[in-house]
Short mmCIF file of all heavy atoms in Angstrom, two decimals:
data_model
loop_
_atom_site.label_atom_id
_atom_site.label_comp_id
_atom_site.label_asym_id
_atom_site.label_seq_id
_atom_site.Cartn_x
_atom_site.Cartn_y
_atom_site.Cartn_z
N ARG F 839 93.66 92.98 113.60
CA ARG F 839 94.91 92.86 114.32
C ARG F 839 96.10 93.34 113.49
O ARG F 839 97.23 92.88 113.67
CB ARG F 839 95.13 91.40 114.74
CG ARG F 839 94.09 90.84 115.69
CD ARG F 839 94.01 91.62 116.99
NE ARG F 839 95.31 91.73 117.61
CZ ARG F 839 95.83 90.80 118.41
NH1 ARG F 839 95.14 89.73 118.71
NH2 ARG F 839 97.03 90.96 118.93
N ARG F 840 95.85 94.28 112.61
CA ARG F 840 96.93 94.79 111.74
C ARG F 840 97.95 95.60 112.50
O ARG F 840 99.01 95.90 111.97
CB ARG F 840 96.33 95.63 110.62
CG ARG F 840 95.62 94.83 109.56
CD ARG F 840 94.87 95.70 108.59
NE ARG F 840 93.74 96.35 109.22
CZ ARG F 840 92.83 97.07 108.56
NH1 ARG F 840 92.96 97.23 107.25
NH2 ARG F 840 91.82 97.63 109.19
N SER F 841 97.66 95.96 113.74
CA SER F 841 98.61 96.74 114.54
C SER F 841 99.55 95.86 115.35
O SER F 841 100.17 96.33 116.29
CB SER F 841 97.84 97.67 115.48
OG SER F 841 97.00 96.92 116.34
N VAL F 842 99.66 94.59 115.01
CA VAL F 842 100.52 93.65 115.75
C VAL F 842 101.96 94.16 115.75
O VAL F 842 102.42 94.78 114.79
CB VAL F 842 100.41 92.24 115.13
CG1 VAL F 842 100.90 92.24 113.69
CG2 VAL F 842 101.16 91.23 115.95
N GLN F 843 102.69 93.88 116.86
CA GLN F 843 104.01 94.49 117.05
C GLN F 843 105.14 93.48 117.20
O GLN F 843 106.25 93.87 117.55
CB GLN F 843 103.98 95.38 118.31
CG GLN F 843 103.03 96.55 118.22
CD GLN F 843 103.45 97.58 117.20
OE1 GLN F 843 104.64 97.92 117.09
NE2 GLN F 843 102.51 98.08 116.42
N THR F 844 104.91 92.20 116.96
CA THR F 844 105.96 91.18 117.10
C THR F 844 106.19 90.49 115.76
O THR F 844 105.30 90.44 114.90
CB THR F 844 105.57 90.14 118.15
OG1 THR F 844 104.39 89.43 117.72
CG2 THR F 844 105.30 90.80 119.50
N ALA F 845 107.40 89.92 115.61
CA ALA F 845 107.74 89.22 114.37
C ALA F 845 106.84 88.01 114.17
O ALA F 845 106.36 87.75 113.06
CB ALA F 845 109.21 88.81 114.41
N LYS F 846 106.58 87.26 115.25
CA LYS F 846 105.72 86.09 115.12
C LYS F 846 104.29 86.51 114.75
O LYS F 846 103.64 85.86 113.92
CB LYS F 846 105.71 85.30 116.43
CG LYS F 846 104.86 84.04 116.37
CD LYS F 846 104.88 83.28 117.69
CE LYS F 846 104.01 82.03 117.60
NZ LYS F 846 103.99 81.26 118.87
N GLY F 847 103.79 87.57 115.38
CA GLY F 847 102.45 88.04 115.07
C GLY F 847 102.33 88.49 113.62
O GLY F 847 101.32 88.22 112.97
N ILE F 848 103.34 89.18 113.12
CA ILE F 848 103.31 89.63 111.72
C ILE F 848 103.30 88.44 110.77
O ILE F 848 102.55 88.40 109.80
CB ILE F 848 104.51 90.55 111.44
CG1 ILE F 848 104.34 91.88 112.21
CG2 ILE F 848 104.67 90.82 109.95
CD1 ILE F 848 105.54 92.78 112.13
N TYR F 849 104.15 87.44 111.05
CA TYR F 849 104.15 86.25 110.19
C TYR F 849 102.80 85.54 110.24
O TYR F 849 102.26 85.14 109.19
CB TYR F 849 105.27 85.29 110.62
CG TYR F 849 105.06 83.90 110.05
CD1 TYR F 849 105.21 83.65 108.69
CD2 TYR F 849 104.66 82.85 110.88
CE1 TYR F 849 104.98 82.40 108.16
CE2 TYR F 849 104.44 81.58 110.36
CZ TYR F 849 104.59 81.37 109.01
OH TYR F 849 104.36 80.12 108.49
N SER F 850 102.25 85.36 111.44
CA SER F 850 100.96 84.68 111.57
C SER F 850 99.88 85.42 110.79
O SER F 850 99.07 84.80 110.08
CB SER F 850 100.56 84.58 113.04
OG SER F 850 101.50 83.84 113.78
N LEU F 851 99.87 86.75 110.87
CA LEU F 851 98.87 87.54 110.17
C LEU F 851 99.02 87.42 108.65
O LEU F 851 98.06 87.14 107.93
CB LEU F 851 99.00 89.01 110.59
CG LEU F 851 98.11 90.01 109.86
CD1 LEU F 851 96.65 89.77 110.20
CD2 LEU F 851 98.49 91.44 110.22
N LEU F 852 100.25 87.61 108.15
CA LEU F 852 100.47 87.56 106.70
C LEU F 852 100.24 86.16 106.15
O LEU F 852 99.68 86.00 105.05
CB LEU F 852 101.90 88.02 106.39
CG LEU F 852 102.21 89.49 106.69
CD1 LEU F 852 103.69 89.76 106.49
CD2 LEU F 852 101.38 90.41 105.82
N ASP F 853 100.65 85.14 106.91
CA ASP F 853 100.49 83.77 106.43
C ASP F 853 99.02 83.40 106.30
O ASP F 853 98.60 82.87 105.26
CB ASP F 853 101.20 82.81 107.40
CG ASP F 853 101.04 81.36 106.99
OD1 ASP F 853 101.44 81.01 105.87
OD2 ASP F 853 100.51 80.57 107.80
N VAL F 854 98.22 83.68 107.31
CA VAL F 854 96.82 83.27 107.25
C VAL F 854 96.05 84.11 106.22
O VAL F 854 95.17 83.58 105.53
CB VAL F 854 96.19 83.36 108.65
CG1 VAL F 854 95.96 84.80 109.09
CG2 VAL F 854 94.88 82.57 108.71
N LEU F 855 96.37 85.41 106.08
CA LEU F 855 95.69 86.21 105.05
C LEU F 855 96.06 85.74 103.65
O LEU F 855 95.21 85.75 102.74
CB LEU F 855 96.04 87.69 105.23
CG LEU F 855 95.45 88.39 106.46
CD1 LEU F 855 95.87 89.85 106.49
CD2 LEU F 855 93.93 88.28 106.49
N THR F 856 97.30 85.33 103.47
CA THR F 856 97.71 84.78 102.17
C THR F 856 96.95 83.50 101.86
O THR F 856 96.50 83.28 100.72
CB THR F 856 99.23 84.51 102.17
OG1 THR F 856 99.92 85.73 102.43
CG2 THR F 856 99.68 83.96 100.83
N ILE F 857 96.77 82.64 102.86
CA ILE F 857 96.02 81.40 102.65
C ILE F 857 94.56 81.69 102.35
O ILE F 857 93.96 81.09 101.44
CB ILE F 857 96.16 80.49 103.90
CG1 ILE F 857 97.59 79.98 104.03
CG2 ILE F 857 95.18 79.32 103.85
CD1 ILE F 857 97.87 79.24 105.31
N LEU F 858 93.97 82.64 103.07
CA LEU F 858 92.56 82.96 102.83
C LEU F 858 92.34 83.56 101.44
O LEU F 858 91.25 83.42 100.88
CB LEU F 858 92.07 83.95 103.89
CG LEU F 858 91.89 83.39 105.32
CD1 LEU F 858 91.46 84.49 106.27
CD2 LEU F 858 90.89 82.25 105.34
N SER F 859 93.33 84.23 100.90
CA SER F 859 93.16 84.87 99.58
C SER F 859 93.57 83.97 98.43
O SER F 859 93.34 84.34 97.27
CB SER F 859 93.96 86.17 99.53
OG SER F 859 95.34 85.91 99.65
N SER F 860 94.18 82.81 98.71
CA SER F 860 94.68 81.97 97.62
C SER F 860 94.18 80.54 97.66
O SER F 860 94.50 79.76 96.77
CB SER F 860 96.22 81.97 97.64
OG SER F 860 96.71 81.44 98.87
N ASN F 861 93.41 80.15 98.69
CA ASN F 861 92.95 78.76 98.74
C ASN F 861 91.87 78.53 97.69
O ASN F 861 91.25 79.48 97.19
CB ASN F 861 92.44 78.43 100.15
CG ASN F 861 91.09 79.06 100.44
OD1 ASN F 861 90.05 78.47 100.16
ND2 ASN F 861 91.10 80.28 100.97
N LYS F 862 91.60 77.28 97.39
CA LYS F 862 90.66 76.94 96.31
C LYS F 862 89.28 76.56 96.83
O LYS F 862 88.46 76.03 96.05
CB LYS F 862 91.23 75.80 95.48
CG LYS F 862 91.47 74.51 96.25
CD LYS F 862 92.04 73.43 95.34
CE LYS F 862 92.29 72.13 96.09
NZ LYS F 862 92.86 71.08 95.21
N PHE F 863 89.02 76.81 98.10
CA PHE F 863 87.73 76.40 98.66
C PHE F 863 86.83 77.58 98.99
O PHE F 863 85.68 77.63 98.56
CB PHE F 863 87.98 75.56 99.93
CG PHE F 863 88.85 74.37 99.72
CD1 PHE F 863 90.13 74.33 100.24
CD2 PHE F 863 88.41 73.29 98.97
CE1 PHE F 863 90.95 73.23 100.04
CE2 PHE F 863 89.22 72.19 98.77
CZ PHE F 863 90.50 72.16 99.31
#
């Protein structure tokens, strides 16, 4: 979903990818 076109969609994408790459589990 990297082609998302809304501000909310961009935040949701970046936020969850950041969590997946930095969580400790």
Side-chain angles (χ1 to χ4, degrees):
R839 297 301 307 275
R840 287 171 291 187
S841 59
V842 63
Q843 297 293 318
T844 63
K846 182 180 180 181
I848 292 173
Y849 163 70
S850 299
L851 175 67
L852 294 173
D853 178 59
V854 72
L855 290 181
T856 301
I857 291 172
L858 289 177
S859 63
S860 60
N861 75 89
K862 61 181 180 180
F863 304 110

